[in-house]
Amino acid sequence: EIVLTQSPATLSLSPGERATLSCRASESVSNYLAWYQQKPGQAPRLLIYDAFNRATGIPARFSGSGSGTDFTLTISSLEPEDFAVYYCQQRSNWPLTFGGGTKVEIK
Amino acid sequence: QVQLVQSGAEVKKPGASVKVSCKASGYSFTGKYMEWVRQAPGQGLEWMGRINPNTGGTDFAQKFQGRVTMTRDTSINTAYMELSRLTSDDTAVYYCARGRLGGTTDFDYWGQGSLVTVSS
């Protein structure tokens, strides 16, 4: 199965700062990579699909890039509501797999 | 608006089975796969499998083959996930999620989650 490795495990930033999250795949997933945000006690929310497409209702401060094995989620300027855990997920091959997550916490 | 509403929390003994329901509304239930994802306490997300509500066809992660059953009732727009031979490792929040696409997919709408606790 395809293993997704996210880094860093924790990112400590202040509101207004730029967040850069990484997801690396154990083999090429083309551009079939999604990003989710999860807040405590809530279900994940789809942010980005197919590497760079924002899902419905997602603010423009969220952007995705990358292809093949290396992907990045960028939050251009952190809002208070953006502090959460972020997961990547590949749909290149079965089984569908997720990364271990990056927690974005308030510095 | 799309909504997925799941059944409530369950406590089960080791060796028992649990059945979680997911009622869909706001879209054509038979037009999208229903996927199941679980999350152990403090851990990441794990895809379990999916059901095609139109045909009843299923696909499962190998890890759960033989232990999971997914069914649906199209008359009430509800999908079900049943997991048998529970152990403490199955303690988790179980989510249903709508597959955005028909083949390999990501998940565009999620239920609120159903906590299953396995304890003697």
Side-chain angles (χ1 to χ4, degrees), chain A residues 46-60:
Chain A
L46 179 65
L47 299 175
I48 301 286
Y49 64 90
D50 292 350
F52 56 83
N53 297 287
R54 274 190 302 276
T56 304
I58 301 304

Side-chain angles (χ1 to χ4, degrees), chain A residues 21-101:
Chain A
L21 288 67
S22 174
C23 177
R24 176 163 289 177
S26 60
E27 61 186 83
S28 176
V29 298
S30 184
N31 67 327
Y32 299 139
L33 191 101
W35 291 93
Y36 300 85
Q37 176 193 67
Q38 187 178 35
K39 298 179 182 179
Q42 295 185 17
R45 176 174 72 143
L46 179 65
L47 299 175
I48 301 286
Y49 64 90
D50 292 350
F52 56 83
N53 297 287
R54 274 190 302 276
T56 304
I58 301 304
R61 64 181 181 273
F62 292 92
S63 63
S65 63
S67 66
T69 61
D70 290 295
F71 299 86
T72 301
L73 174 70
T74 302
I75 310 171
S76 59
S77 177
L78 283 163
E79 296 288 338
E81 62 268 27
D82 298 337
F83 292 92
V85 179
Y86 293 82
Y87 293 96
C88 57
Q89 175 246 324
Q90 65 82 22
R91 69 171 187 89
S92 175
N93 211 345
W94 304 106
L96 308 177
T97 52
F98 292 86

Side-chain angles (χ1 to χ4, degrees), chain A residues 34 36 38 42-46 49-50 87 89-96 98 100, chain B residues 35 37 39 43-47 50 61 95 100-101 103-108 110-111:
Chain A
Y36 300 85
Q38 187 178 35
Q42 295 185 17
R45 176 174 72 143
L46 179 65
Y49 64 90
D50 292 350
Y87 293 96
Q89 175 246 324
Q90 65 82 22
R91 69 171 187 89
S92 175
N93 211 345
W94 304 106
L96 308 177
F98 292 86
Chain B
E35 315 271 341
V37 175
Q39 185 171 37
Q43 302 301 308
L45 300 161
E46 181 176 34
W47 179 76
R50 66 179 191 162
Y95 293 102
R100 187 175 61 87
L101 301 171
T104 58
T105 188
D106 36 55
F107 317 107
D108 56 2
W110 294 65

Side-chain angles (χ1 to χ4, degrees), chain B:
Chain B
Q1 71 285 17
V2 175
Q3 278 195 304
L4 302 176
V5 179
Q6 297 183 224
S7 49
E10 304 252 20
V11 179
K12 295 293 183 180
K13 293 195 182 302
S17 298
V18 67
K19 191 171 186 178
V20 178
S21 68
C22 173
K23 183 172 178 59
S25 61
Y27 72 100
S28 172
F29 177 65
T30 54
K32 297 281 191 179
Y33 276 82
M34 191 67 76
E35 315 271 341
W36 291 88
V37 175
R38 77 176 186 179
Q39 185 171 37
Q43 302 301 308
L45 300 161
E46 181 176 34
W47 179 76
M48 299 179 67
R50 66 179 191 162
I51 183 167
N52 180 337
N54 186 39
T55 65
T58 54
D59 300 291
F60 304 128
Q62 188 169 13
K63 174 178 181 176
F64 300 101
Q65 293 269 8
R67 208 161 66 90
V68 68
T69 304
M70 293 180 186
T71 57
R72 90 291 190 215
D73 184 337
T74 57
S75 69
I76 56 172
N77 290 350
T78 299
Y80 303 91
M81 187 284 299
E82 184 170 19
L83 189 62
S84 63
R85 303 194 301 277
L86 293 169
T87 71
S88 58
D89 289 342
D90 295 314
T91 293
V93 176
Y94 290 77
Y95 293 102
C96 61
R98 192 181 80 164
R100 187 175 61 87
L101 301 171
T104 58
T105 188
D106 36 55
F107 317 107
D108 56 2
Y109 291 91
W110 294 65
Q112 83 277 16
S114 299
L115 175 62
V116 175
T117 303
V118 183
S119 174
S120 56

